[in-house]
Amino acid sequence: RALIESLPTLENKGVFRGIPSLAPALLQLPPGCSFHPRCAFAKPICQQVIPKLERLASGRHVACHLFEADGVASTDAQQAKA
């Protein structure tokens, strides 16, 4: 989610919305999901288990513990967004 929201759009041309912190070094990735230190929605499982890459009904892929197999955000992610 943070990666997508950091992309520029026509509405906010010239406005950069970065992601907090630095990306981990590729040779020193943290355990579990490599994005968990920078994710506002990270859960304990994110620190321990690498998420499985899932293909969504739309044909896109996601590797995140916060998404269900049907491509719908989990209840935790929806509540955190509100």
Side-chain angles (χ1 to χ4, degrees), residues 25-59:
L26 294 177
L27 297 176
Q28 297 176 337
L29 293 175
C33 175
S34 59
F35 195 69
H36 84 265
R38 301 173 68 195
C39 179
F41 307 111
K43 298 167 41 171
I45 190 171
C46 302
Q47 298 175 19
Q48 301 164 2
V49 179
I50 296 173
K52 182 178 165 189
L53 184 64
E54 300 279 347
R55 183 183 171 123
L56 305 178
S58 66

